[in-house]
Amino acid sequence: MSTLILSLPPGIPGPATEYGYTLTTDGHTATRHASAPASLLPDPGRAGERVAVVPARALSWQRVTLPPGAGTQAPRLRAVLEGLLEERLLDDPAALHFALEPGARPGAPAWVAVCDRAWLRGALQALEAAGRPVQRVVPEFAPGPGASGAPEYFALGTPEDAQLVATAQGPDQAVAVLPLSPMALQLTGAMAEAEQPPAVRAEPAVAELAEQMLGRPAVLYTASQRALDAARGEWDLAQFDLASSRRTRALRKAGSTLGTFARAPQWRAARWALGVLVATQLVGLNAWAWQERQALEAKQAGVRAALTQTFPQVKVVVDVPVQMERELAQLRQATGSVSPRDLEPMLAAAGAALPPGQLPTALDYSAGDLRLRGLELPPDVLASANQRLSAAGYSARLQDGQWLLRTGGQP
């Protein structure tokens, strides 16, 4: 699944405003990166996802502890956040957008991202008006340690407007955005003297400036790499009035996870293992089906052989049970023997099952059905008679005042 990652401009966007974008198919490698107006942005496809990245300078971070009973309903939770942050904010809380840290729970500290509500809504509406609606909104940088668990430092911007971004300075310190200067590097700890000083990742435009201030090489870190890292984060700033439905978010997350599994390099071994497992299962199922088919064909051949060996005059086998029954009936007629469906065996079985003194006043026989009239059998006597008839291969029941006997199953 393709993902289009857009960097939101700092001001209110217009028709000619260009968005920096990165297009990726696996979430780790950029297939294309450039900038274009909203209407000319590439389309990731119907199954793709568009992710908007909020610049670090557009966000402020606040640390709060949700009270018990804060709930999960958006109106109530936003009101709780407004109450907790009202005295810390310079602007009116109603003019700000809040986004709570993923997995936040009452009684535990959590980060809240704060930005201008009108700006964010305007940026998203401009993209939607251009036919490029955004499914997820992520911060350019978020509080918390990096992959190494240590603070991370980034030099961004242009030589005329260079910034230093520092993350994970402590459990209660958020993302710090400062002008790139020796004092800022010293203040954040980026110039700490150690055997392995912390790495500073710098955009190509400010890499030389950062190296001059640091006195050591910086690691090149392009805007597209930064966008990819941001999009892989767990944050989604589209909360409260900007949130999608829960079902939509779940579908998008599932699609994103499936796309990552299908294309990301780190899942290559798992994909191979899954493919081998599926192939093994298919081979095993085909082998089992072949064995079952061979066994069934052998049984069918045995049944056909039994018919043709018992009755050599049968040359063409169509329906073995029907042909076997027909040949047996013809053999009985030829030899004068009787079958369990004939009148004499059925009368003998009925006489043996009935208690002494119970005689029918009339009988009616037709094609294996024997009806005896004039019998008055209590339920216990009828049950005992039915058991004896069942042992002889017959079944019986009362029907319209008659005792009906048949061979085999229920009449």
Side-chain angles (χ1 to χ4, degrees):
M1 182 184 71
S2 298
T3 302
L4 179 65
I5 309 170
L6 308 172
S7 296
L8 297 181
I12 300 297
T17 301
E18 292 197 349
Y19 297 78
Y21 70 84
T22 297
L23 190 64
T24 177
T25 57
D26 59 8
H28 293 264
T29 306
T31 57
R32 195 195 319 173
H33 58 89
S35 61
S39 59
L40 300 180
L41 290 170
D43 188 0
R46 294 183 59 183
E49 182 185 28
R50 298 183 189 88
V51 180
V53 180
V54 178
R57 287 193 291 185
L59 289 171
S60 65
W61 300 89
Q62 301 292 335
R63 191 77 160 164
V64 300
T65 300
L66 295 178
T72 57
Q73 297 297 324
R76 176 178 174 81
L77 188 55
R78 177 175 172 85
V80 170
L81 293 177
E82 288 183 0
L84 293 173
L85 299 173
E86 185 175 8
E87 297 182 357
R88 308 187 201 175
L89 302 173
L90 298 177
D91 297 326
D92 182 7
L96 300 174
H97 175 71
F98 301 133
L100 192 61
E101 178 182 0
R105 60 184 185 277
W111 287 107
V112 178
V114 184
C115 69
D116 184 84
R117 191 176 186 179
W119 167 79
L120 181 57
R121 181 183 292 275
L124 298 180
Q125 287 177 347
L127 289 169
E128 187 170 358
R132 302 294 189 270
V134 170
Q135 286 81 35
R136 195 157 53 97
V137 183
V138 299
E140 188 177 28
F141 299 98
S148 63
E152 294 186 315
Y153 305 93
F154 306 88
L156 313 175
T158 62
E160 296 77 18
D161 184 22
Q163 301 96 39
L164 174 68
V165 178
T167 65
Q169 296 298 296
D172 295 325
Q173 296 180 1
V175 178
V177 182
L178 303 170
L180 181 61
S181 65
M183 182 177 295
L185 293 169
Q186 187 69 41
L187 181 64
T188 57
M191 296 185 68
E193 296 182 1
E195 294 183 3
Q196 293 184 345
V200 175
R201 288 184 272 184
E203 282 189 317
V206 295
E208 183 178 357
L209 179 60
E211 291 175 349
Q212 291 176 357
M213 296 181 183
L214 288 169
R216 64 176 188 271
V219 180
L220 288 181
Y221 189 56
T222 64
S224 61
Q225 289 175 323
R226 188 167 72 252
L228 291 169
D229 290 342
R232 288 197 302 270
E234 297 181 354
W235 277 84
D236 187 358
L237 303 181
Q239 300 180 22
F240 304 113
D241 56 328
L242 299 181
S244 305
S245 66
R246 181 177 300 179
R247 180 175 179 272
T248 302
R249 292 197 303 271
L251 289 175
R252 288 170 181 166
K253 185 175 181 180
S256 177
T257 302
L258 182 61
T260 300
F261 178 78
R263 296 181 177 88
Q266 67 269 26
W267 290 104
R268 184 175 292 111
R271 291 195 296 269
W272 275 102
L274 180 61
V276 171
L277 178 62
V278 171
T280 303
Q281 293 293 326
L282 289 176
V283 172
L285 287 173
N286 286 331
W288 174 79
W290 180 81
Q291 291 178 350
E292 291 295 318
R293 187 164 54 251
Q294 293 297 318
L296 179 60
E297 291 177 356
K299 291 180 180 179
Q300 292 174 344
V303 172
R304 289 194 296 269
L307 173 62
T308 55
Q309 290 174 6
T310 306
F311 303 101
Q313 68 273 18
V314 177
K315 303 301 182 182
V316 179
V317 178
V318 179
D319 190 333
V320 174
V322 173
Q323 291 177 277
M324 181 75 75
E325 185 176 357
R326 184 170 60 245
E327 294 297 328
L328 287 174
Q330 293 176 358
L331 183 61
R332 283 195 297 268
Q333 290 178 0
T335 59
S337 62
V338 295
S339 71
R341 293 172 54 86
D342 292 334
L343 177 61
E344 293 83 357
M346 296 186 73
L347 285 175
L354 290 173
Q358 286 285 348
L359 297 176
T361 58
L363 60 86
D364 182 16
Y365 171 78
S366 174
D369 290 350
L370 177 62
R371 300 175 185 270
L372 303 178
R373 301 186 182 90
L375 294 174
E376 296 182 0
L377 301 176
D380 55 341
V381 175
L382 180 61
S384 177
N386 286 340
Q387 289 180 358
R388 289 192 288 269
L389 286 171
S390 178
Y394 296 95
S395 61
R397 69 172 177 177
L398 285 176
Q399 181 180 9
D400 300 330
Q402 305 175 22
W403 201 37
L404 175 61
L405 278 72
R406 285 181 177 172
T407 57
Q410 293 294 329

